[in-house]
Amino acid sequence: MLRFLVVLALFVAAAFVVFVHARRAPQDMPWTRLDLGQPIGLFTGRKLAGLTQAPARCRALLDRAGVRFTAEPARREGGHCGYDDLVELDPGGALAAAWRPELKTACPVAAGLSVWLWEVVQPAAQHYIGSRVVAVDHYGSYNCRRMYGANRGPWSEHATADAIDVAGFRFADGTRITIKRDWKGDDARATFLHVARNGACKLFSTVLSPDYNAAHADHLHLDQARRGEWGWRACR
Ligand SMILES: [Zn+2]
């Protein structure tokens, strides 16, 4: 009987702790709905990954967060390539940063990038560089190819526009930082890039940086691979 009461008391105490935390930080709970305007929570990345199966909900979330975009028509290319949730991001609106060149990507990638800019990149830019990011340089999203452009093997997440390769950042004060030139080193620029990579890991299913291999020496590969909300994740 005593053992039962102890277990019951522990259970009630644990439930109380979860209840209090759920009220204070709803984004940390697996059951709360994703809101792109909320701080990053423990399950934000998994909820973003779940958007790969919910294009309409993804577009509604972008809308609600004030991100301006144009939805593109669906496309099929062969048996392995194409998309049905492509959006072209407008640099105005809540995003307040441009993409060089203009960016068309799958909606869940756009949603991840939006939160990344607001919650990770801009705070790190102010802290380490003392200026605001006004544009992100990238090597593109949709590309009908296999991984590493090989002739065989698994298809790349780029083949469904579920990935983007970020090459660098341009700041309001004229500073330019690139993955290729600034990743290595121990100055503020390198720290900024590492903080940006680590933050991306909370928002994307796969993040591959120069730490992973030479193929990523000049960009951060960020993707929302279609492994489902509870699929495995990679941060390298
Ligand atoms: Zn890539």
Side-chain angles (χ1 to χ4, degrees), residues 140 145 156 158 163-165 216 219-223:
R145 63 171 172 82
S156 165
H158 287 281
I164 180 175
D165 294 333
H216 296 85
H219 67 274
L220 299 177
H221 167 96
L222 316 177
D223 79 46

Side-chain angles (χ1 to χ4, degrees), residues 109-207:
V109 174
L113 289 172
S114 305
V115 181
W116 188 49
L117 273 177
W118 298 325
E119 297 290 326
V120 178
V121 173
Q122 297 294 17
Q126 287 299 343
H127 187 81
Y128 294 103
I129 311 301
S131 184
R132 203 173 67 78
V133 168
V134 290
V136 182
D137 293 292
H138 68 93
Y139 295 140
S141 176
Y142 179 68
N143 189 344
C144 185
R145 63 171 172 82
R146 294 173 196 266
M147 286 171 75
Y148 302 108
N151 291 324
R152 45 198 314 177
W155 287 82
S156 165
E157 297 302 328
H158 287 281
T160 49
D162 288 310
I164 180 175
D165 294 333
V166 171
F169 302 88
R170 302 181 194 212
F171 293 76
D173 68 359
T175 302
R176 284 188 68 173
I177 294 182
T178 68
I179 309 292
K180 185 176 186 173
R181 191 186 54 211
D182 300 306
W183 181 265
K184 294 199 173 96
D186 50 10
D187 59 354
R189 291 166 175 242
T191 308
F192 163 75
L193 289 177
H194 284 75
V195 169
R197 188 272 311 270
N198 296 346
C201 291
K202 297 176 186 166
L203 298 167
F204 291 87
S205 301
T206 316
V207 175

